[in-house]
Amino acid sequence: MALAGFSSAPIGGNAPRYWEDVEVGERVRSAEFAFSPENIVAFASRYDPQPMHLSEATAAKSFFGELIASGWQTACETFRLMVDARPLGSTPLVGLEIKELKFERPVRPGDRIYAEGEVLERRASKSRPERGIVIMRVVTKNQSDQPVMSQVWVAILPTRKAPPLS
Amino acid sequence: MALAGFSSAPIGGNAPRYWEDVEVGERVRSAEFAFSPENIVAFASRYDPQPMHLSEATAAKSFFGELIASGWQTACETFRLMVDARPLGSTPLVGLEIKELKFERPVRPGDRIYAEGEVLERRASKSRPERGIVIMRVVTKNQSDQPVMSQVWVAILPTRKAPPLS
């Protein structure tokens, strides 16, 4: 599943990365997460208790006609995969905003997802020289490499003018 | 905590609502959810294992200097509150897209949140007469009525030309 230009290892390692270190066009690819009927129903029971996510029986009569994962589960699993990929090394992923989040395709039991991140833009903070902004596209794909979710994240991170953070 | 113009009861009840029934300007207010150190750490351990969310000790040395909830936890709890508020009655909340999601303020242990939804726009589907689009602003506020998260949801729902759905 390795693609040219993607790293499946944590690209940032354990060292902190700063705003100045991040390059436009930089890419990261995460590990995978597998959806099951059990984890779909468990997540939905807590956060999205609607018929298409709660059981095969209720889903069969629903909008989608089959059991599918909550889009919020896909978003949360994508975030976990990206945290583990450590694109910023030991510098945390801190979001200011998500500029768009599209539910591209249903995610079904048995689907395996991974996330690809790409840095679109790096922007200085006008008001805070110790912080900078990085804009990343994050696309979650299934085992057939079809996008199931796409997002644009606006993240804030320390510049080299800031004290180190964990 | 009741505000003029807001309903804290499920406004849609148990009957299905259709696209034609939804009015621009219509508003809903959810029940509340309380954050605790335990539920913050539990959510983060699974979906957002970063120092500012995992313990008071790791958070003290982090970007925020104190334990705060994952923004994804706030998003998921907001969605649960909105599902329970049933703004569309028995018609499910199905998202096509989130046009923006802003992390407005940190959420801390002890904070209680609620969500307010307002219909901004109702748009016919060009390609599918049995489906329509509703655009809603959803603002999550804390116990001091300060916004902690704001979103714009693009939802799809059946028109009266569609068969009933659960």
Side-chain angles (χ1 to χ4, degrees):
Chain A
M1 301 270 291
L3 293 180
F6 285 93
S7 165
S8 58
I11 66 165
N14 289 318
R17 296 187 74 209
Y18 296 89
W19 176 77
E20 293 89 338
D21 305 332
V22 176
E23 290 179 32
V24 171
E26 185 176 297
R27 300 205 285 178
V28 64
R29 177 178 170 146
S30 79
E32 293 185 358
F33 175 79
F35 286 79
S36 67
E38 293 74 21
N39 66 41
I40 288 173
V41 171
F43 184 95
S45 300
R46 179 65 187 80
Y47 297 111
D48 187 352
Q50 303 199 95
M52 62 282 197
H53 308 310
L54 288 176
S55 74
E56 300 279 2
T58 55
K61 294 179 289 181
S62 78
F63 202 81
F64 292 90
E66 61 180 338
L67 185 67
I68 61 162
S70 168
W72 292 104
Q73 183 181 9
T74 303
C76 288
E77 296 295 356
T78 296
F79 196 72
R80 173 61 190 263
L81 290 170
M82 286 293 292
V83 167
D84 288 350
R86 298 177 80 91
L88 303 179
S90 64
T91 301
L93 287 176
V94 177
L96 285 179
E97 182 181 350
I98 298 176
K99 288 183 91 72
E100 64 176 45
L101 186 160
K102 292 186 179 172
F103 304 99
E104 306 269 12
R105 277 182 182 77
V107 174
R108 301 178 176 86
D111 281 356
R112 297 188 320 277
I113 61 164
Y114 63 94
E116 291 176 348
E118 178 175 359
V119 175
L120 300 180
E121 192 180 337
R122 202 163 61 92
R123 187 187 296 166
S125 166
K126 292 176 190 102
S127 54
R128 302 179 68 188
E130 79 284 11
R131 298 279 182 267
I133 305 293
V134 165
I135 299 179
M136 289 184 76
R137 180 178 303 284
V138 177
V139 180
T140 311
K141 296 183 179 176
N142 64 19
Q143 66 281 357
S144 304
D145 301 317
Q146 296 168 316
V148 297
M149 176 169 284
S150 60
Q151 301 176 72
V152 176
W153 290 355
V154 181
I156 185 168
L157 70 169
T159 65
R160 290 193 173 272
K161 298 192 177 80
L165 288 165
S166 59
Chain B
M1 301 270 292
L3 295 180
F6 284 93
S7 166
S8 58
I11 66 166
N14 289 318
R17 296 187 74 207
Y18 296 90
W19 175 76
E20 294 88 339
D21 305 332
V22 176
E23 289 177 33
V24 171
E26 186 177 296
R27 301 204 285 177
V28 64
R29 178 178 168 144
S30 79
E32 292 186 358
F33 174 79
F35 286 79
S36 68
E38 294 74 20
N39 65 41
I40 288 173
V41 170
F43 183 96
S45 300
R46 179 63 187 82
Y47 296 111
D48 187 353
Q50 302 199 93
M52 60 282 197
H53 308 310
L54 288 176
S55 74
E56 299 280 3
T58 54
K61 293 179 290 181
S62 78
F63 201 82
F64 292 90
E66 61 181 337
L67 185 67
I68 62 163
S70 169
W72 293 103
Q73 184 181 8
T74 303
C76 288
E77 296 296 357
T78 295
F79 195 73
R80 174 61 190 261
L81 290 170
M82 288 292 291
V83 166
D84 289 350
R86 297 175 80 90
L88 303 178
S90 65
T91 301
L93 288 176
V94 177
L96 284 179
E97 183 181 349
I98 298 176
K99 287 182 90 74
E100 65 176 46
L101 186 160
K102 291 186 180 172
F103 303 100
E104 306 271 12
R105 277 183 182 78
V107 174
R108 302 180 175 86
D111 281 355
R112 296 188 320 276
I113 61 163
Y114 62 94
E116 291 175 348
E118 178 175 0
V119 175
L120 300 180
E121 192 180 336
R122 202 164 61 92
R123 187 188 295 167
S125 166
K126 292 175 190 102
S127 54
R128 302 178 69 188
E130 79 283 11
R131 298 279 183 267
I133 305 293
V134 166
I135 300 180
M136 291 184 73
R137 180 178 304 284
V138 178
V139 180
T140 311
K141 295 182 179 176
N142 64 21
Q143 66 281 358
S144 304
D145 301 315
Q146 297 168 315
V148 296
M149 176 169 285
S150 61
Q151 300 175 73
V152 177
W153 290 355
V154 181
I156 184 168
L157 71 168
T159 66
R160 291 193 172 273
K161 298 193 178 80
L165 288 165
S166 60

